[in-house]
Amino acid sequence: FLSQNFRPYISQNYWLRISQTRKHFKRISQLQNLFTASFKMVRMNVLADALKNISNAEKRGKRQVLIRPSSRVIVKFLQSMQKHGYIGEFEIVDDHRSGKIVVELIGRLNKCGVISPRFDIQISEVEKWVLNLLPARGFGHIILTTSQGIMDHEEARKKHTGGKILGFYY
């Protein structure tokens, strides 16, 4: 702060407060370093991250995309997309951790996303959600999780079952 020449003119009490403040800030910075070293980001929605990765890779014109971590919900969602021809083959890579999925993109996917929170949908409300989420009738699919498994809205309508909405793609 000040050079040695000015110290005699400033009270001893003032220098004591400055040194205590320095010690206090040093302790605070040590605690911050400790906190940031032990803090780790947690994924809140694995399906949302996976669909965002696919959507971004599709927009960039990529031929493949790597999704990690893997989950059974992601695999079922991708199976539905593959069945309807929006993506190509995908391969599940077991790395003895959380798993990875390599997806072949064919350039047909315009948009995909997650609906959060997962609203309950009765079979009579499916048409309302189709009109709100999809760009046109007969174009795109809504994925539901039902008591009979994860399926698209057309299959749920055939099986006459409702469920919770997971996401959509078109």
Side-chain angles (χ1 to χ4, degrees):
F1 283 84
L2 299 173
S3 66
Q4 292 290 343
N5 298 345
F6 291 103
R7 280 199 177 182
Y9 301 110
I10 299 174
S11 69
Q12 188 67 28
N13 192 18
Y14 177 76
W15 286 110
L16 182 65
R17 278 188 280 158
I18 287 177
S19 66
Q20 288 173 346
T21 306
R22 285 182 186 163
K23 289 177 187 174
H24 178 71
F25 282 124
K26 190 173 183 181
R27 283 193 200 115
I28 288 175
S29 66
Q30 288 171 348
L31 287 173
Q32 286 175 339
N33 291 341
L34 179 70
F35 177 72
T36 55
S38 64
F39 182 71
K40 187 176 179 187
M41 291 292 289
V42 179
R43 288 184 189 257
M44 296 304 290
N45 193 341
V46 177
L47 180 62
D49 291 344
L51 294 182
K52 184 57 80 174
N53 284 345
I54 292 171
S55 181
N56 288 341
E58 190 78 62
K59 286 177 189 173
R60 298 272 313 197
K62 304 286 186 187
R63 304 303 298 159
Q64 284 184 337
V65 63
L66 178 70
I67 298 172
R68 49 173 285 272
S70 172
S71 75
R72 291 187 303 182
V73 174
I74 294 173
V75 170
K76 292 287 189 183
F77 205 101
L78 292 176
Q79 284 174 348
S80 175
M81 292 171 82
Q82 184 181 26
K83 181 175 84 174
H84 294 291
Y86 285 88
I87 61 170
E89 297 290 321
F90 64 91
E91 179 183 354
I92 302 167
V93 180
D94 183 24
D95 58 355
H96 300 292
R97 290 182 184 86
S98 56
K100 299 176 184 176
I101 303 173
V102 178
V103 180
E104 299 288 331
L105 301 175
I106 58 174
R108 184 162 176 234
L109 189 67
N110 293 319
K111 189 173 184 181
C112 59
V114 170
I115 303 299
S116 181
R118 295 179 177 176
F119 292 106
D120 287 326
I121 296 181
Q122 297 175 0
I123 192 67
S124 59
E125 298 173 348
V126 170
E127 192 62 33
K128 179 186 83 169
W129 282 91
V130 167
L131 291 174
N132 287 338
L133 290 176
L134 302 180
R137 288 178 73 89
F139 186 71
H141 299 276
I142 295 176
I143 302 297
L144 305 172
T145 176
T146 68
S147 58
Q148 299 175 15
I150 295 175
M151 60 187 76
D152 63 355
H153 69 280
E154 294 168 351
E155 190 177 346
R157 193 178 289 146
K158 288 177 190 169
K159 293 186 177 181
H160 201 72
T161 182
K164 292 183 180 288
I165 187 165
L166 284 180
F168 64 94
Y169 59 89
Y170 56 86

